[in-house]
Amino acid sequence: MITFIGKPVTLAGQRFQVGQIAPDFTLMSTNLEKKSLSDFKGKKVISVVPSIDTGICSTQTRTFNHELAKLEDTYVITISVDLPFAQARWCGAEGLDKAIMLSDYYDYSFGKSYGLLMEEWHLLARAVLVLDSNNKIVYTQYLENVNSEPDYISAITALKAIQ
């Protein structure tokens, strides 16, 4: 059972498993350009948060960007339903001008496809997926309690283990 603010929520779509290929998606970037998973060639951490304007979401985004920013051939992609303007404002305030923030605000297609749309709230549940350069999923963490932090060390270790 997935909970948000202590209450059970219903997630649209199916969760992915290690070994599956992550499907492509198209979302809006902070500069209002459409971006797809296929635009990012290399290893990827997909960090999904309900809203960048909350403490845990900010910590999650900062942590992955700070820990992985120096790795070559690696992208940290943070996805939420926040408007691109809010995502851009947050990046500016945090000094993360290279952070990749994508918004699923328009039609929730990412949330539905990746099994992360909380139907009751129209927000995304917290999750972390690590993909190799062929978009094969090598690590997943779908948090049962959306109001808790992910296991940063396991996700980072999984990413660094990719050859």
Side-chain angles (χ1 to χ4, degrees), residues 15-97:
R15 294 179 175 187
F16 291 107
Q17 303 295 320
V18 169
Q20 290 181 287
I21 301 297
D24 205 4
F25 53 74
T26 301
L27 299 170
M28 191 68 66
S29 71
T30 56
N31 59 0
L32 303 180
E33 291 180 4
K34 289 184 179 181
K35 291 288 185 181
S36 298
L37 181 60
S38 58
D39 291 329
F40 304 99
K41 308 293 185 205
K43 299 176 281 188
K44 295 162 258 330
V45 171
I46 298 177
S47 175
V48 185
V49 299
S51 176
I52 197 63
D53 285 323
T54 65
I56 295 171
C57 298
S58 290
T59 298
Q60 180 175 333
T61 304
R62 260 192 320 277
T63 300
F64 282 127
N65 276 279
H66 284 250
E67 292 293 325
L68 302 172
K70 294 180 180 138
L71 295 180
E72 289 186 31
D73 193 35
T74 301
Y75 298 92
V76 176
I77 303 167
T78 301
I79 301 173
S80 71
V81 295
D82 293 298
L83 292 176
F85 312 110
Q87 292 174 333
R89 178 191 43 75
W90 182 88
C91 288
E94 293 292 325
L96 292 173
D97 59 336

